[in-house]
Amino acid sequence: AVDLHDERLAPLGFSLGTPREPERRGAHVSFRHPDAWRICRALIERADVIPDFRAPDSIRFGLAPLYTRHVDVWDAIDRLAGIVDSGEHEAMDDAPRRVT
């Protein structure tokens, strides 16, 4: 996920919100973006990807190695990049909700 961030997401304005070192990060990876809330909503509502939003600007993925395959990580990052690249997230309501 970190390598895919560097390759696909950094050029779209994302920054890594978790440590690069796996031993410091665990199974969660967080990506920061100024429009994280709407991106998170678009992932849930339009891309069948369930991340976790953390204020003010983080999209967090739980990538448990027991049941998360490499292809699952690839697909989630690909869908995330596609939503931002197309601007699809901009159509989402930016009103805050209690839970993502």
Side-chain angles (χ1 to χ4, degrees):
V2 172
D3 291 342
L4 289 172
H5 161 270
D6 294 346
E7 179 183 327
R8 303 278 315 275
L9 301 179
L12 296 173
F14 286 87
S15 63
L16 192 60
T18 52
R20 287 187 173 275
E21 304 83 9
E23 61 277 0
R24 293 186 56 220
R25 176 179 66 242
H28 290 95
V29 176
S30 179
F31 306 120
R32 300 180 75 189
H33 191 280
D35 211 8
W37 173 256
R38 293 195 302 174
I39 296 168
C40 191
R41 296 304 320 156
L43 283 169
I44 293 168
E45 296 177 22
R46 298 184 178 189
D48 201 26
V49 175
I50 309 298
D52 184 32
F53 173 76
R54 298 294 173 143
D57 63 356
S58 292
I59 302 168
R60 189 174 78 148
F61 291 90
L63 305 174
L66 183 61
Y67 53 81
T68 304
R69 303 169 300 164
H70 285 83
V71 69
D72 298 326
V73 175
W74 173 267
D75 287 346
I77 301 299
D78 187 56
R79 292 174 191 181
L80 172 57
I83 282 173
V84 175
D85 193 40
S86 71
E88 185 175 357
H89 67 289
E90 294 171 0
M92 303 305 297
D93 181 10
D94 64 353
R97 296 183 186 166
R98 294 180 67 106
V99 178
T100 56

